[in-house]
Amino acid sequence: MSDIEQKRQYYRLKYPKRARPYVRFADEMFQVTEVSEGGIRMVLNNFTCMYKGLSMKGVLNLYGDRSIPIEGAVLRFDNDEVVLQLRKGPTFKIMVDQQRHIRQKYPSFFERLRGTAA
């Protein structure tokens, strides 16, 4: 067993503010701060009415003109963000492509994240 044990099933990709993807549910659009194969974290809009367990379907728009249909439910609220647990979302391949893009385009962002994790 390694010194560092993975506690999560899926790697969560954090996005720098200027590179955040967005998700659309019906007529509302939300900035996304983190994405994984199993969930997303997004910034709440002031006029949005959501509750824990609410089922949602929408489209996640990622770098490279990738539009991913997603389905899930509200898992929890965290300050001004909401976490959705996905039943349908991005594939592992898409997540690897997104991570590669962010690492190449924003290398200092990943260095800062690595510094806070150590």
Side-chain angles (χ1 to χ4, degrees):
M1 192 188 268
S2 68
D3 293 318
I4 300 172
E5 186 176 320
Q6 174 63 278
K7 294 181 181 179
R8 292 184 171 84
Q9 184 176 0
Y10 301 111
Y11 172 76
R12 291 188 304 182
L13 179 60
K14 294 183 182 196
Y15 285 85
K17 193 169 190 171
R18 65 186 172 273
R20 287 180 180 167
Y22 65 93
V23 65
R24 179 180 295 279
F25 297 105
D27 293 337
E28 289 192 84
M29 215 163 40
F30 300 87
Q31 282 190 0
V32 176
T33 59
E34 291 181 8
V35 177
S36 78
E37 294 164 72
I40 63 171
R41 178 183 287 261
M42 60 189 196
V43 179
L44 278 172
N45 294 339
N46 291 335
F47 304 107
T48 302
C49 183
M50 289 186 193
Y51 54 89
K52 189 175 176 179
L54 174 66
S55 288
M56 303 179 79
K57 287 184 180 183
V59 177
L60 176 62
N61 295 281
L62 301 172
Y63 166 78
D65 293 328
R66 289 207 120 129
S67 296
I68 314 298
I70 63 169
E71 294 179 22
V74 174
L75 180 64
R76 69 176 182 278
F77 296 91
D78 189 8
N79 296 321
D80 63 342
E81 296 181 321
V82 61
V83 177
L84 268 65
Q85 186 172 23
L86 298 179
R87 293 184 298 277
K88 179 180 178 183
T91 64
F92 176 74
K93 181 184 181 322
I94 290 170
M95 291 306 303
V96 170
D97 289 345
Q98 292 294 303
Q99 182 181 16
R100 185 179 304 117
H101 167 72
I102 296 297
R103 283 183 183 258
Q104 288 174 351
K105 184 125 175 141
Y106 306 96
S108 61
F109 177 74
F110 266 94
E111 289 304 316
R112 282 195 309 272
L113 286 178
R114 182 178 284 183
T116 59

